[in-house]
Amino acid sequence: MNFLNEVAQRFPAAISFAAGRPHEANFDVALIHEYLDTYCRHLAETERRSEEEVRRTLFQYGRTKGIVHELVARNLEADEDIAVDPEAIVVTVGCQEAMVLILRALRRDERDVLLAVSPTYVGITGAARLVDMPVLPVRSGDGGVDLADLAAVVRRARSEGLRPRAFYVVPDFSNPAGETLPIEQRHRLLRLAEESDLLLLEDNPYGLFRARGGRLPTLKALDRSRRVVYLGSFAKTGLPGARVGYAVADQLVDGGTGGAPTLFADELSKIKSMLTVNTSPVAQAVIGGKLITYDYSLLRANEREIATYARNLRQVLNGLARRFPGPRDGQAPQVTWNSPAGGFFVVVTVPFRVTDQLLAQSAQEYGVIWTPMHHFYDGAGGEHQLRLSCSLLESGPLDEGLDRLAAFIRDRV
Amino acid sequence: MNFLNEVAQRFPAAISFAAGRPHEANFDVALIHEYLDTYCRHLAETERRSEEEVRRTLFQYGRTKGIVHELVARNLEADEDIAVDPEAIVVTVGCQEAMVLILRALRRDERDVLLAVSPTYVGITGAARLVDMPVLPVRSGDGGVDLADLAAVVRRARSEGLRPRAFYVVPDFSNPAGETLPIEQRHRLLRLAEESDLLLLEDNPYGLFRARGGRLPTLKALDRSRRVVYLGSFAKTGLPGARVGYAVADQLVDGGTGGAPTLFADELSKIKSMLTVNTSPVAQAVIGGKLITYDYSLLRANEREIATYARNLRQVLNGLARRFPGPRDGQAPQVTWNSPAGGFFVVVTVPFRVTDQLLAQSAQEYGVIWTPMHHFYDGAGGEHQLRLSCSLLESGPLDEGLDRLAAFIRDRV
């Protein structure tokens, strides 16, 4: 995505629907101090650690799997109805490190492959590239995943001697497509994973940000047979600058020593000890303090953000509808978009080819930036689509940005 | 090293010469708050950033190569006489991530190999294992490196169709051996690297901690042809719990787009974007604040620590000499040790086999823990040696620990 950053840097005055960064209205440096203090008080008063132990916890190298694992487990219980042994949690340097750890653990040789819906999040394809693991595309379908195609891709891969190790999926408000997997599809996906002996990597960075309808249970909450490795991020719900994420990896795996099976989390921990040793305890303490402050509920901590993202998403969807009211006399509309139930992203389909060249033109001549969807495909796909992110903008610039986008599109249809 | 951690956990009352962790006497949670504030003031007053920009710098995702690169460059100038373009610095999640980034960048296929003195730091062998890069051992010699063997290993590897991509070396107070490369050897190593077209990975976590004699210039300070990638760590000199390290990678490499050559640092940055995205800005701010507080000199910031480590090293060396005064009538001594000029580690040679089993016995029966040296060898080596770390202990326990160690050894000779 270097080209995109470059465009953003060359045209700093352009209004950007490109970055999927969290809203900044509630950033306040004082919060970092407060969260740190809250975490230290928690160690001293609730955990009964001595002053020396508190200092050591923050300053020294620490436990490879992390120091806020118990707090994360309480958060999962509070917000997601996921009950998990804290020992099965590995706290990581953002969710990105968790992806790398998992794929590195799953990759034994060149026959191991990952499956993912196309289009997919660039973070997972990047992680797969780092560990030399091919990603086989699965067609998107009802709510995001074409389950028949998933089954077919698994069969085909196996017949070719490949080992499909896992299927990566974002069931809630996916990036880039903004899709949400319906509840029946979640159950079906779990059954299919069971029948196909496939691990599911569930990534859930946006799940709290539902804009309409009720929240659905995560795959992990429905998981009865440890089929799901759950990927969590505090980048959108905690504090992005802490760079703290985690994996829940409660699968039992062969420990390799002929002894009892061990937790997959412990295998990830061994890899982490060679990758980053441990996640900054200072950064973990900031996240821990935020979790404690809100009684372990990030739903509660993010009440304002959830409202902001819902409002922005509505504003984008209504704004598009107002600016592209559709054709008269029954013709098919030339410009369409999907209607996500939450999250950060909307996909707009246009009747012309969406290239990087056009993005540069849009930035320079119209003062508006977005993301060409073809970047989220490995190979063909998304050529007539662009992604709008609604997370960062305030209401005024968002409206102005839609005006500019509409002008850019209208000049091309 | 899981076995070692396990022994330490099973015998918490044992005095430990095992962990290479920094001294804890000056840990103080208030410092974290102070450093954060100092960094924010620096952004506002020196860098003239608005309040909003300061908040965004700490909270938001940030520059992949880091936000304290200019401060790190000033530190290198102040303490190491290394002049470097800040753009050539990649701030990483501890030095461990820097190692992984570099080896991943250097590894194209199974012919690429790394060279390292045996015994060597387990962090580099771990990083190499993660990216499937074999490590060819080089014999240790005068001050740590047998240069003739290094040249021979390079020749032999090339004749076998392998590509020696780099030589990993800790010129100052190496871990585990405590060796220091003399100045003539540094010049010779640089010439050899030039003649053999070999990159040098210079790792310098202990360089500030000289206990006697004058400091020597780093390889990077002597490097006139961008032969040296420099690895820096703030784990011992900054704040371990920040998990911040860095690489100086000012080599010019093919950018891959047929255009102008780019900095090796930018190649590392691309890999980092797939590994951890960026290093926690909060953690970087803590380190940045410490650098600013001490006018960019970690030598100044660590005056007390430097004195503590020097005192501990002397106490260990003198304590060993007192407890093992050497045999009478010209016999060879049964117990010997090296005499490092600084750093954390001393290597003791004993006339019996030093096994993990013996370590467990030493912990249980004698109440003292150390590290069997064979762990730092890939294959044979170090069977009669153990490593003592002098960094963590206070003076009283250190003396008591030496008594216990002496009893353990005497019962076996």
Side-chain angles (χ1 to χ4, degrees):
Chain A
M1 309 296 260
N2 280 346
F3 171 77
L4 303 180
N5 293 331
E6 210 180 282
V7 170
Q9 273 171 19
R10 266 169 59 208
F11 306 103
I15 294 174
S16 177
F17 289 101
R21 287 180 293 166
H23 205 70
E24 299 176 344
N26 305 316
F27 286 0
D28 181 351
V29 175
L31 288 173
I32 299 177
H33 294 289
E34 280 175 31
Y35 293 151
L36 275 170
D37 284 338
T38 300
Y39 182 73
C40 290
R41 264 201 315 277
H42 168 85
L43 288 183
E45 292 169 14
T46 312
E47 306 265 324
R48 301 261 167 220
R49 311 273 184 88
S50 70
E51 257 189 70
E52 189 190 350
E53 284 168 325
V54 172
R55 284 198 298 269
R56 186 180 293 146
T57 302
L58 258 73
F59 269 72
Q60 202 51 282
Y61 294 95
R63 188 172 168 275
T64 305
K65 287 199 286 185
I67 59 172
V68 295
H69 51 304
E70 285 168 359
L71 311 184
V72 172
R74 295 184 68 162
N75 165 241
L76 285 169
E77 180 100 49
D79 284 341
E80 304 292 350
D81 204 17
I82 295 173
V84 67
D85 176 2
E87 285 297 323
I89 294 172
V90 185
V91 183
T92 52
V93 181
C95 188
Q96 187 66 32
E97 190 196 22
M99 294 182 188
V100 174
L101 295 178
I102 292 163
L103 297 188
R104 184 64 184 79
L106 294 177
R107 199 232 186 235
R108 280 169 297 175
D109 62 42
E110 66 286 350
R111 287 169 296 180
D112 297 303
V113 295
L114 176 70
L115 277 54
V117 164
S118 186
T120 195
Y121 172 49
V122 292
I124 193 74
T125 42
R129 198 174 317 135
L130 263 195
V131 305
D132 289 317
M133 197 172 190
V135 182
L136 304 186
V138 172
R139 274 203 291 270
S140 61
D142 180 17
V145 187
D146 180 336
L147 291 178
D149 192 54
L150 173 58
V153 172
V154 170
R155 272 196 308 276
R156 198 160 57 237
R158 287 192 175 139
S159 75
E160 289 167 1
L162 300 174
R163 285 190 297 251
R165 299 302 306 268
F167 174 58
Y168 171 82
V169 61
V170 183
D172 288 284
F173 326 128
S174 65
N175 179 4
E179 301 271 12
T180 299
L181 205 62
I183 182 72
E184 322 80 60
Q185 290 284 80
R186 293 178 193 229
H187 286 292
R188 256 181 243 135
L189 176 57
L190 282 163
R191 273 203 302 279
L192 176 61
E194 196 68 32
E195 289 158 13
S196 317
D197 192 16
L198 198 64
L199 207 58
L200 297 178
L201 308 186
E202 176 178 37
D203 188 6
N204 188 23
Y206 311 106
L208 297 189
F209 306 129
R210 178 163 280 277
R212 57 182 169 80
R215 292 184 68 214
L216 296 178
T218 62
L219 295 170
K220 190 64 192 163
L222 300 170
D223 181 23
R224 293 289 163 271
S225 51
R226 305 189 182 201
R227 266 292 142 205
V228 180
V229 175
Y230 183 86
L231 293 163
S233 166
F234 295 113
K236 277 78 184 181
T237 59
L239 194 138
R243 297 296 304 133
V244 177
Y246 61 93
V248 178
D250 58 0
Q251 289 68 30
L252 293 172
V253 296
D254 180 359
T257 50
T262 57
L263 283 169
F264 189 37
D266 289 316
E267 202 173 318
L268 300 183
S269 173
K270 277 182 207 160
I271 298 174
K272 182 170 170 65
S273 74
M274 300 185 264
L275 195 61
T276 59
V277 185
N278 60 334
T279 304
S280 164
V282 173
Q284 290 185 73
V286 173
I287 294 297
K290 182 163 184 177
L291 289 173
I292 294 159
T293 301
Y294 291 95
D295 207 15
Y296 306 100
S297 172
L298 289 173
L299 264 178
R300 192 180 301 177
N302 285 278
E303 275 173 8
R304 289 174 304 179
E305 286 78 7
I306 292 167
T308 299
Y309 296 136
R311 188 197 66 211
N312 279 10
L313 184 58
R314 273 196 305 276
Q315 197 182 340
V316 165
L317 295 175
N318 295 339
L320 287 170
R322 249 198 331 279
R323 287 168 180 86
F324 298 99
R328 300 177 187 167
D329 54 48
Q331 287 184 313
Q334 289 192 292
V335 179
T336 59
W337 52 91
N338 66 345
S339 192
F344 286 11
F345 307 110
V346 174
V347 175
V348 180
T349 304
V350 293
F352 53 88
R353 239 183 132 79
V354 179
T355 60
D356 289 355
Q357 168 71 26
L358 265 196
L359 166 60
Q361 236 178 328
S362 172
Q364 177 158 27
E365 294 169 23
Y366 298 84
V368 63
I369 295 178
W370 32 266
T371 310
M373 278 289 288
H374 74 83
H375 286 284
F376 302 102
Y377 287 83
D378 182 28
E383 288 86 356
H384 293 86
Q385 296 186 317
L386 51 93
R387 187 192 76 173
L388 301 182
S389 171
C390 333
S391 55
L392 196 59
L393 293 172
E394 298 292 344
S395 187
L398 197 156
D399 223 47
E400 170 66 24
L402 288 177
D403 279 343
R404 297 180 186 185
L405 178 74
F408 161 78
I409 292 176
R410 278 201 207 97
D411 284 351
R412 273 156 194 84
V413 297
Chain B
M1 307 298 261
N2 280 347
F3 170 78
L4 301 180
N5 293 331
E6 210 180 281
V7 170
Q9 272 169 20
R10 266 169 58 210
F11 305 102
I15 293 174
S16 178
F17 289 100
R21 287 181 292 166
H23 205 70
E24 299 176 344
N26 304 316
F27 286 181
D28 181 350
V29 175
L31 288 174
I32 299 177
H33 294 290
E34 279 175 33
Y35 293 150
L36 275 171
D37 284 338
T38 300
Y39 182 72
C40 290
R41 262 201 316 278
H42 168 84
L43 288 182
E45 292 169 14
T46 312
E47 306 266 323
R48 301 261 167 220
R49 310 272 184 88
S50 69
E51 258 189 67
E52 190 192 348
E53 285 168 325
V54 172
R55 284 198 299 270
R56 185 180 295 146
T57 301
L58 258 74
F59 270 73
Q60 199 54 279
Y61 295 97
R63 186 171 170 277
T64 305
K65 288 198 288 186
I67 59 172
V68 295
H69 50 304
E70 286 170 357
L71 311 184
V72 173
R74 293 183 68 163
N75 165 241
L76 285 169
E77 180 100 50
D79 285 341
E80 303 293 350
D81 204 15
I82 294 174
V84 67
D85 175 2
E87 285 297 322
I89 294 171
V90 185
V91 183
T92 53
V93 181
C95 187
Q96 188 65 31
E97 190 196 23
M99 293 181 187
V100 174
L101 294 178
I102 292 164
L103 297 189
R104 184 63 184 80
L106 295 177
R107 199 233 184 234
R108 281 169 298 175
D109 62 43
E110 67 284 349
R111 287 169 296 179
D112 297 303
V113 295
L114 176 70
L115 278 53
V117 164
S118 186
T120 195
Y121 173 49
V122 291
I124 193 74
T125 42
R129 197 174 318 133
L130 263 195
V131 305
D132 289 317
M133 198 171 189
V135 181
L136 304 187
V138 171
R139 274 203 290 269
S140 61
D142 180 17
V145 187
D146 180 336
L147 292 179
D149 192 53
L150 173 59
V153 172
V154 170
R155 271 196 309 275
R156 197 160 57 238
R158 288 193 173 137
S159 76
E160 289 166 3
L162 300 174
R163 285 190 297 251
R165 298 302 305 269
F167 174 59
Y168 171 83
V169 61
V170 183
D172 289 284
F173 325 129
S174 66
N175 179 5
E179 300 272 12
T180 299
L181 205 62
I183 182 71
E184 322 79 62
Q185 290 284 81
R186 294 179 194 228
H187 285 292
R188 256 181 241 136
L189 176 57
L190 281 163
R191 272 203 302 280
L192 175 60
E194 195 66 34
E195 289 158 13
S196 317
D197 192 17
L198 198 64
L199 207 59
L200 298 178
L201 308 186
E202 175 179 38
D203 189 6
N204 188 22
Y206 310 106
L208 298 190
F209 307 128
R210 178 163 281 276
R212 57 180 167 81
R215 293 184 69 216
L216 297 177
T218 63
L219 294 171
K220 190 65 193 164
L222 300 171
D223 182 22
R224 293 289 164 268
S225 51
R226 306 189 181 203
R227 266 292 141 206
V228 180
V229 176
Y230 183 86
L231 293 163
S233 165
F234 295 113
K236 277 78 184 181
T237 59
L239 195 138
R243 296 297 303 132
V244 177
Y246 61 93
V248 178
D250 57 359
Q251 289 68 30
L252 293 173
V253 295
D254 181 358
T257 51
T262 57
L263 282 169
F264 188 38
D266 290 315
E267 202 174 319
L268 300 182
S269 174
K270 279 184 205 157
I271 298 173
K272 181 169 172 65
S273 74
M274 301 185 264
L275 194 61
T276 59
V277 184
N278 60 333
T279 304
S280 165
V282 173
Q284 289 185 71
V286 173
I287 294 297
K290 181 162 184 179
L291 289 174
I292 295 160
T293 301
Y294 291 96
D295 206 15
Y296 305 100
S297 172
L298 289 172
L299 264 177
R300 193 179 302 176
N302 285 278
E303 274 174 7
R304 288 173 305 178
E305 286 78 6
I306 292 168
T308 299
Y309 296 136
R311 187 198 67 212
N312 279 10
L313 184 58
R314 271 195 308 274
Q315 197 183 340
V316 166
L317 295 175
N318 294 339
L320 286 170
R322 248 196 333 276
R323 288 167 180 86
F324 298 100
R328 298 177 188 170
D329 55 49
Q331 285 185 315
Q334 288 192 295
V335 179
T336 59
W337 51 90
N338 66 346
S339 192
F344 286 11
F345 308 108
V346 174
V347 176
V348 180
T349 305
V350 294
F352 53 87
R353 238 182 132 79
V354 178
T355 61
D356 289 354
Q357 168 70 27
L358 265 196
L359 167 61
Q361 236 178 327
S362 172
Q364 177 158 27
E365 294 170 24
Y366 297 84
V368 63
I369 295 178
W370 33 265
T371 310
M373 278 290 286
H374 73 83
H375 287 283
F376 302 102
Y377 287 82
D378 182 28
E383 288 87 356
H384 293 85
Q385 295 186 317
L386 52 90
R387 187 193 75 174
L388 302 182
S389 171
C390 333
S391 55
L392 196 59
L393 293 171
E394 298 291 345
S395 186
L398 197 156
D399 222 49
E400 171 66 23
L402 288 177
D403 278 344
R404 298 179 185 186
L405 178 75
F408 162 79
I409 292 176
R410 277 199 208 98
D411 284 351
R412 274 155 192 85
V413 297

